[in-house]
């Protein structure tokens, strides 16, 4: 399949045209269930006791520890690799280089096939070629980590360097238009936007720059792997279980059934926990050594082996009519990428759906560089795209002497401005208004530098948040009811802290009419029915759709089991609902039989049904997005330029909220990562060497406790009638708009516009 | 980490004896050395644990304070004499690292900590400090955190300590003992400017051990403070820091002053030119600014750290203004 | 489970980590062996590792299989490895185990003797003071050590009056004192709320907060 067929399935589009709308999920209107309650995390006690076991913590007899030697050039060949001293070092079990590594097929790159997980399609340690600075050139296995690390330091590598594409500015002069951007066109032209801009009453035409970012999950990437004969067992930290299994099967030339991957706990993912070279190298080395391998990347190793968000330059030009409507919306730019991956950081996506305009020019280009493959990171595209777009909108509002929220009122579209589709559920202005009221937006002095306390200049800013609704294809679920009236819901889903395990238990409980404590959600294991990628904020609804399908099948089977002696006799699956621990007619209270009764009478211990999720046809018919308004108050030192975020409020419109306690955490988490994006985060890529120079949590700054104020989050809680559970994914929207909200607040405080992230103090002196 | 041996020293003499072994290094709290060993930047063959040696913090008869080199940072920062008589020192320590690290790190180790230059940390980069003669990749690289004063073509790294900046301002005396006996020197003489040998960072002879730091009696130190400017609000190294003590006479003139800067040089930077400009002059914003200018006149910024000159100027003025209170 | 699996397949199981021979890395004879003064970990005496390079963190995780203490950076920059040594919070990744001979270490597994949840652990659950759970044990151990520092009157970088003898339990005091524990999921608000609630309730802290 081509990349066009991945996230937004064109096949689904064909189906969508033939079928009417599916009826809204019956759970949307359901009251008194577990959904909507603030159930604490099911895995909470294990996490606070330190009992949650992560990939690098799985014990194994005969375990060996891996260390990686990284290349120190960006492109060229290994000239010599002297491993003699390392081989003599105490405890060494194996040294693997391209000379003795098993022959492996290249990984299928993510987006090249819906089942693919490879971060790039570069061969892994198959020859002397070097493709990026930091590429692993040797793996050392030893009896202890200390021995492996020491032996690695004894390997002497020399290289024949070749010219490499390391300057983004130079690479951008030879940029290309990608075949597509996540299945959508790389360029959208509606009308003649440049001409409309030139003729507009008000214009802003601005250039933005955003740096590379690191996911910086506190758990470094790790895998503990071993072979049991020809079967492969992997304990991984991953957000794409089945895709990893399919891809590894291709690399190692074995069938998927021979591979089992466990990933019950992931110590933060944010898009970064995919299939990189370290798992492949661990598996290969384990095969050579005949011993289990623990590949726990060092923090530096994470920066060298697992890519992050790429760098961009963006242009946003807005042409406004005197009445505050847009004549032209231009958002174009270039991202750094490699020829071995396909992750073009979709920064123009917000501009495709947010605002009405008379004309559009939206174009993404990529500049090929010799670097570690970049990848998806929390709200890829939207996080940095909204920084540019929403800062530009603030600048336009200022030029027009309009309140920024009033400007957005005038730009509210009736239907999706570029696709023409109806919105499934859009209440963005309601989110702005609720947020403005709660935050006290009316207290903002529109004149910059208008508020000061001592050396601190105080300002307020606002920006829109937006993220698409995605539902991934390929997911399945199994639902099992047992004779004691309990249920198990199973799918190879992922729990990286989003609350998946808890919310899916809640959803399963309501789906089956059981109390939540009677429902177990099983996940994190490829032995379970296929899960979908935990990405694109899609997992909640992707699983919910599969569970709904499996539950419908199960209910039909239960009715068959119940037979003619049941009060349910004569009712079809469509005529009953799951309630009160069994099935019943929605209106006739006496036509009910409990699961316990049905299974007991049938003499069954349990009954189970498995089904695939239906095609995501809703996304073909509707423009489906989440929205929000981010409000920020900053204090900027007039002496040092230090910025302190003193207040923050996020107001969101993301469909129905399934668990307020955890939803608040997801929103806050996104916002806090957005504070990092706005103020401090930058992966330093030395363009002379292609080397990342701050591969460390000491020098790659993420927000610390003192950087984070109390963050208020509110939501509309309006269900989307076209989404399973009425819900939208909420993992990513929180980070969108934050960069602009902070930048706009800094402008309001200081009068300074900074269009180059991060907004460090030197840019404000 | 290279294989190595470990021994705990029972007393100073034993420590110095043990340190005579080939490739031996003194080990304090380990917060810097263990990290550098793991990076293989430091490859000692033997560690001599000196955390069991003198850690007392004792008031001296002459009004000074003697602090054993094994005193933990937290213990110094929370000590009542430090908080009341040398608050700049307490504040400098509290501005550094994290609670956990302050509980581990020793005074002696803090004095001996090494730069955070990212090219020093990366063994793929050219670094004259790590590998003499290898060149300096920082000069034309990411040098935003680097030196603006006293650097050389061989090295533009900065000393990362907060604590040392306060000590530099407070006229601290470092007591050392080595195979050749005991001696003492001013803190500001302990660290070297890089010159052609950035790999040699202090004037200590091989085997010499810092045993104590003495803070002389200094009345104006009670009116001292420390301000640190960094890229996030906590748990980050200084871009610029200022330690200062100020005494303003009744007539509004500056009786005495101590001023030191961090984040600007290969060593904690005692701002003697600024002090000279200030002494006897009026405690006004314009004289503070003139003093800052006097100190920074020789500043030689690199491609990314030009802001430090302005930031240092502003921070000096703000800190002196704060100490002067209404007088400014 | 795996051990059985390997045995069935006839694989040679390697030596258990505690018995790893240190050929070549054998320390000189001058080094104290530490047998007389072991480390106490969660109340149990544990011999000092023979390999001097072994950090307290790796002793816990790899040799004792106490994996509740987390390795986030192994360079003293994230706080995930925080444990309590004689009641004080430290970073176990920067601590060579050999240096902690005779000391008493408490890790997340040993916070309460009976396996009951510590009040702070309960508060973390109630306030959703985590997401992925990886930084959580370090946050909890750090907060317990921090609370002790507050009670003792240790000032912080945001303490206005250094001469004060009691420290206030303000939001900024907690945030500054907890800044050595990174959280990337963004659970900061819940973490601070859980700590504030827990320690505001203890008598000594309530006194200090007044």
């Amino acid at each position: 399949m081509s990349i066009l067929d991945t996230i937004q399935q064109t096949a689904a589009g064909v189906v969508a045209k033939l079928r009417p709308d599916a009826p809204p999920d019956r759970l949307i209107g359901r009251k008194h269930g577990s959904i909507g309650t603030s159930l604490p995390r099911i895995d909470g006690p294990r996490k606070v006791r330190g009992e949650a076991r992560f990939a690098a913590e799985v014990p194994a007899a005969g375990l060996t520890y891996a260390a990686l030697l990284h290349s120190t050039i960006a492109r060229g060949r290994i000239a010599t690799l002297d491993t003699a001293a390392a081989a003599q070092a105490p405890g060494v079990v194996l040294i693997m280089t391209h000379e003795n590594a098993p022959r492996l097929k290249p990984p299928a790159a993510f987006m090249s096939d819906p089942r693919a997980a490879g971060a790039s399609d570069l061969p892994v340690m198959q020859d002397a070629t070097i493709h990026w600075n930091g590429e692993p050139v040797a793996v050392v296995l030893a009896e202890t980590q200390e021995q492996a690390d020491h032996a690695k330091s004894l390997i002497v590598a020399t290289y024949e360097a070749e010219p490499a594409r390391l300057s983004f500015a130079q690479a951008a002069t030879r940029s290309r238009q990608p075949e597509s951007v996540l299945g959508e066109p790389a360029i959208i032209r509606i009308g003649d936007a440049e001409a409309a801009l030139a003729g507009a009453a008000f214009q802003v035409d601005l250039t933005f720059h955003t740096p590379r970012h690191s996911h910086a999950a506190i758990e470094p990437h790790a895998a503990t792997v071993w072979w049991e004969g020809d079967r492969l067992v992997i304990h991984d930290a991953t957000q794409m279980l089945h895709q990893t299994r399919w891809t590894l099967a291709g690399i190692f030339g074995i069938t998927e059934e021979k591979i089992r991957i466990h990933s019950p706990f992931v110590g933060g993912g944010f898009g970064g926990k995919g299939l990189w070279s370290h798992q492949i190298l661990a598996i290969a080395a384990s095969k050579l050594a005949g011993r289990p391998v623990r590949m726990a990347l060092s923090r530096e190793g994470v920066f060298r082996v697992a890519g992050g968000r790429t760098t961009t330059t963006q242009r946003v030009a807005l042409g406004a009519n005197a009445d505050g409507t847009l004549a032209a919306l231009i958002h174009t730019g270039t991202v750094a990428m490699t020829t071995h991956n396909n992750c073009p950081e979709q920064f123009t996506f917000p501009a495709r759906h947010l605002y009405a305009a008379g004309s559009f020019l939206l174009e993404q280009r990529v500049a090929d560089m010799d670097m570690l493959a970049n990848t998806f990171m929390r709200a890829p595209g939207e996080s940095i795209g909204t920084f540019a777009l929403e800062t530009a909108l603030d600048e336009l509002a200022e030029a027009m002497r309009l309140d920024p929220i009033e400007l957005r009122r005038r730009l509210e579209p009736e239907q999706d401005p570029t696709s023409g589709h109806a919105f499934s559920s859009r209440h963005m202005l309601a989110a702005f208004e609720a947020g403005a009221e709660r935050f006290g937006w009316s207290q903002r002095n529109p004149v910059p530098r208008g508020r000061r306390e001592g050396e601190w200049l105080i300002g307020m800013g606002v920006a829109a948040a937006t993220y698409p609704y995605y539902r991934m294809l390929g997911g399945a679920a199994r639902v099992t009811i047992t004779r004691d009236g309990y249920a198990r819901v199973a799918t190879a889903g992922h729990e990286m802290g989003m609350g998946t395990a808890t919310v899916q238990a809640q959803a399963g409980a309501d789906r089956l009419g059981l109390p939540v404590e009677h429902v177990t959600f099983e996940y994190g294991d490829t032995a379970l029915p296929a899960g979908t990628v935990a990405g694109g904020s899609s997992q909640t609804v992707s699983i919910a759709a599969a569970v709904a399908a499996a539950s419908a099948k199960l209910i039909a089977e239960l009715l068959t089991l119940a037979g003619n002696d049941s009060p349910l006799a004569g009712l079809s699956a469509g005529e009953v609902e799951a309630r009160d621990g069994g099935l019943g007619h929605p209106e006739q209270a006496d036509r009910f039989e409990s699961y316990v009764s049905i299974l007991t009478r049938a003499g069954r211990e349990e009954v189970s049904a498995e089904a695939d999720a239906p095609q995501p046809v809703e996304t073909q018919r509707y423009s489906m997005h989440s929205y929000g308004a981010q409000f920020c108050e900053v204090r900027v030192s007039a002496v040092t330029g230090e910025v302190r975020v003193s207040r923050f409020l996020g107001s969101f419109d993301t469909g129905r909220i399934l668990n307020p306690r955890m939803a608040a955490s997801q929103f806050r988490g996104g916002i806090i990562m957005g504070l990092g994006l706005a103020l401090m985060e930058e992966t330093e890529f030395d363009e002379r060497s292609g080397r990342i120079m701050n591969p460390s949590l000491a020098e790659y700054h993420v927000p610390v406790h003192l950087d984070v104020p109390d963050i208020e989050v509110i939501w509309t809680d309006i269900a989307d009638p076209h989404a399973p559970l009425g819900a939208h994914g909420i993992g990513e929207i929180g980070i969108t708009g934050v960069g602009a909200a902070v930048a706009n607040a800094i402008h309001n405080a200081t009068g300074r516009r900074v269009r180059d992230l991060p907004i460090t103090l030197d840019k404000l002196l | 980490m290279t294989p190595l041996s470990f021994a705990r020293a029972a007393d100073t003499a034993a420590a110095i004896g043990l340190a005579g072994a080939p490739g031996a290094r003194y080990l304090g709290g380990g917060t810097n050395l263990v990290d550098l060993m793991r990076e293989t930047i430091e490859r000692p063959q033997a560690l001599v644990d000196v955390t069991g040696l003198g850690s007392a913090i004792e008031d001296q008869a002459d009004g000074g304070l003697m602090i054993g080199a094994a005193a933990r940072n937290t213990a110094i920062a929370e000590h009542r004499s430090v908080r009341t008589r040398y608050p700049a020192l307490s504040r400098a320590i509290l501005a550094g690292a994290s609670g956990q690290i302050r509980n581990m790190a020793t005074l002696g180790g803090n004095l001996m900590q090494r730069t955070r230059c990212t090219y020093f940390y990366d063994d793929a980069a050219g670094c004259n400090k790590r590998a003499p003669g290898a060149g300096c990749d920082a000069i034309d690289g990411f040098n935003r955190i680097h030196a603006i004063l006293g650097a050389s073509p061989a090295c533009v790294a900065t000393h990362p300590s907060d604590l040392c900046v306060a000590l530099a301002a407070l006229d601290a005396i470092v007591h050392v003992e080595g195979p050749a006996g005991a001696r003492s020197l001013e803190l500001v003489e302990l660290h070297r400017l890089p010159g052609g040998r950035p790999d040699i960072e202090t004037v200590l002879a091989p085997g010499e051990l810092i045993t104590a730091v003495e803070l002389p009696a200094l009345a104006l130190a009670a009116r001292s403070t420390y301000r640190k400017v960094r890229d996030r609000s906590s748990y980050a190294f200084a871009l610029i820091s200022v330690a200062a003590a100020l005494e303003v006479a009744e007539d509004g003139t500056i009786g005495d002053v101590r001023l030191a800067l961090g984040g600007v040089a290969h060593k904690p930077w005692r701002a003697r030119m600024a002090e000279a400009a200030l002494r006897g002059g009026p405690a006004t914003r314009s004289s503070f600014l003139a003093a800052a200018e006097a100190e920074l006149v020789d500043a030689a910024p690199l491609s990314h750290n030009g802001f430090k000159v302005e930031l240092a100027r502003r921070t000096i003025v703000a800190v002196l203004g704060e100490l002067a209170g209404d007088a400014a | 489970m795996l051990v059985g699996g390997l045995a069935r397949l006839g694989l040679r199981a390697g030596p258990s980590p505690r018995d790893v021979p240190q050929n070549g890395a054998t320390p000189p004879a001058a080094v104290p062996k530490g047998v007389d003064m072991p480390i106490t970990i969660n109340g149990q005496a544990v011999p000092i590792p023979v390999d001097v390079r072994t950090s307290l963190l790796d002793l816990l995780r790899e040799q004792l299989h106490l994996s509740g203490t987390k390795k986030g950076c192994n360079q003293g920059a994230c706080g995930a490895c925080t444990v309590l040594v004689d009641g004080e919070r430290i970073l176990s990744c920067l601590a060579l185990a050999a240096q902690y001979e005779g000391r008493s270490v408490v890790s997340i597994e040993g916070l309460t003797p009976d396996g009951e949840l510590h009040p702070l652990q309960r508060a973390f659950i109630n306030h959703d003071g985590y997401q992925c759970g990886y930084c959580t044990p370090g946050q909890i151990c750090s907060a317990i050590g921090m609370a002790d520092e507050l009670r003792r009157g240790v000032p912080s970088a945001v303490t206005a009056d250094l001469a004060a003898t009691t420290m206030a339990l303000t939001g900024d005091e907690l945030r500054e004192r907890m800044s050595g524990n990174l959280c990337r999921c963004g659970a900061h608000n819940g973490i601070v709320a859980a700590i504030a609630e827990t320690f505001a309730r203890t008598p000594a802290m309530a006194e200090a907060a007044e």
Side-chain angles (χ1 to χ4, degrees), chain C:
Chain C
M1 176 184 71
L2 168 68
V3 176
L6 282 172
R8 276 200 304 282
L9 291 162
L11 290 180
R12 185 177 63 88
S16 78
R18 254 190 251 182
D19 304 321
V20 169
Q22 299 294 307
N23 48 322
T26 308
V31 176
K33 283 285 184 278
V35 284
D36 300 323
M37 289 270 288
I39 308 180
T40 304
I41 292 177
N42 299 332
Q44 302 274 315
V46 170
I48 303 283
V50 178
D51 189 337
V52 169
R53 298 171 295 183
T54 307
S55 66
L56 187 53
L57 176 61
D58 284 332
L59 171 66
L60 290 169
R61 283 170 65 83
E62 302 300 337
Q63 302 194 21
L64 305 174
H65 302 295
L66 293 170
S67 56
T69 307
K70 302 304 181 189
K71 186 183 280 189
C73 69
N74 217 24
Q75 58 188 171
C78 80
C81 66
T82 304
V83 296
L84 298 164
V85 174
D86 298 328
E88 287 200 330
R89 54 179 175 160
I90 66 142
L91 298 180
S92 61
C93 76
L94 294 180
L96 294 180
Q99 237 188 331
Y100 287 78
E101 189 180 308
R103 311 285 297 274
S104 176
V105 178
V106 171
S107 69
I108 189 77
E109 293 91 346
L111 274 193
T112 58
D114 49 6
E116 286 286 296
L117 288 177
H118 186 283
L120 183 59
Q121 290 173 312
R122 284 201 298 273
F124 264 66
I125 294 172
N126 289 334
H127 289 278
D128 213 34
Y130 48 40
Q131 289 193 43
C132 76
Y134 198 79
C135 75
T136 310
Q139 300 272 2
I140 290 172
C141 288
S142 180
I144 290 171
M146 187 264 329
D148 197 55
E149 292 163 13
L150 260 175
R151 268 186 222 108
R152 211 166 77 210
V154 179
S156 85
V158 300
T159 304
D161 179 11
L162 272 189
T165 49
T166 58
M167 293 294 128
L169 187 73
T170 66
D172 270 359
E173 281 285 1
L174 293 188
R175 290 187 179 97
E176 160 59 22
R177 291 163 189 269
M178 289 301 295
S179 281
N181 289 83
L182 303 184
C183 167
R184 187 56 160 165
C185 294
H188 305 75
N189 283 184
I191 293 167
V192 170
I195 297 169
E197 178 188 270
T198 303
F199 294 110
R201 282 203 199 116
T202 67
M205 195 63 68
E207 227 169 79
E210 275 164 17

Side-chain angles (χ1 to χ4, degrees), chain A residues 350 354-355 386 390 393 404-405 408 412 425-436 461-468 625-631 648-655 667 671 713-717 728-730 732-738 740-741:
Chain A
L354 268 182
Y355 301 119
T386 52
E390 294 296 297
L393 218 66
I405 299 178
R408 285 169 178 89
E412 181 69 4
S425 181
R426 175 171 166 129
H427 311 280
M428 185 167 91
L429 292 181
F432 265 95
E433 277 151 23
V462 70
T466 187
Y467 193 79
H625 299 269
S626 291
Y627 305 96
Q630 309 274 26
F631 293 84
F648 204 100
L649 181 143
S651 174
F652 296 99
D653 174 43
T654 60
F667 289 135
I671 289 167
V713 286
I714 57 176
W715 44 77
T716 61
D717 205 17
H728 288 189
I730 58 170
E732 296 175 85
I733 187 167
I735 192 175
T736 70
V738 177

Side-chain angles (χ1 to χ4, degrees), chain B residues 42-212:
Chain B
E42 296 272 12
R43 300 179 182 226
Q45 294 164 264
L47 289 177
V48 180
D49 180 354
V50 292
T51 55
L53 306 188
S55 63
I57 303 172
E58 291 169 328
D59 291 321
Q60 303 294 289
D62 65 357
L65 194 68
M66 187 72 80
I67 309 172
R72 308 284 174 170
N73 280 359
T74 302
I76 303 168
E78 73 172 311
H79 196 275
R80 193 128 295 272
S81 296
V82 178
R83 285 157 75 173
T84 54
R85 285 157 49 202
Y86 305 94
L89 177 57
S90 188
R91 290 219 180 272
I93 291 170
L94 296 170
S98 68
Q100 293 95 311
I101 292 174
R102 294 193 292 269
N103 284 341
M104 302 173 79
T106 62
L107 173 61
N110 195 305
L111 266 56
M112 295 303 290
Q113 70 181 301
R114 307 194 69 187
T115 185
R116 303 300 306 190
C117 172
T118 56
Y119 296 88
F120 171 69
Y121 260 81
D122 183 2
D123 61 8
C127 174
N128 290 318
K129 182 182 285 297
R130 181 169 30 76
C136 172
D137 279 350
I139 287 179
D140 295 314
F142 289 104
N143 51 41
R144 187 170 168 276
I145 64 172
H146 288 74
I148 54 173
L149 291 168
S152 76
C155 183
V156 293
T158 55
H159 194 264
S161 169
D162 292 297
L163 185 157
C164 287
V165 181
L167 293 183
L170 298 171
D171 299 339
I173 305 293
V174 180
H175 295 272
V176 302
E177 230 175 296
R183 64 179 178 128
S184 59
L185 66 163
E186 289 183 52
L187 180 281
V188 293
E189 301 302 324
L190 175 68
H191 301 95
R192 294 180 67 252
L193 287 177
R197 290 299 301 273
D199 54 313
I200 304 173
E201 293 171 352
T202 69
V203 299
L204 295 183
E208 273 193 321
L209 172 69
I210 297 170
T211 55

Side-chain angles (χ1 to χ4, degrees), chain B residues 247-255 283 327:
Chain B
E247 180 187 280
V248 182
E250 298 233 334
D251 64 356
T253 60
I254 295 168

Side-chain angles (χ1 to χ4, degrees), chain A residues 568 571 575-579 582-586 588 591-593:
Chain A
L568 301 168
L571 292 175
E575 291 168 322
V576 299
E577 64 175 13
R579 61 172 157 89
L583 302 178
H585 189 282
Q588 301 165 21
R591 300 197 72 182
F592 172 86
E593 185 170 10

Side-chain angles (χ1 to χ4, degrees), chain A residues 654-668:
Chain A
T654 60
R656 191 176 181 199
I657 293 300
L658 303 176
N659 180 317
R661 184 196 312 253
M662 291 185 305
S665 291
Q666 280 280 73
F667 289 135
R668 288 195 180 102

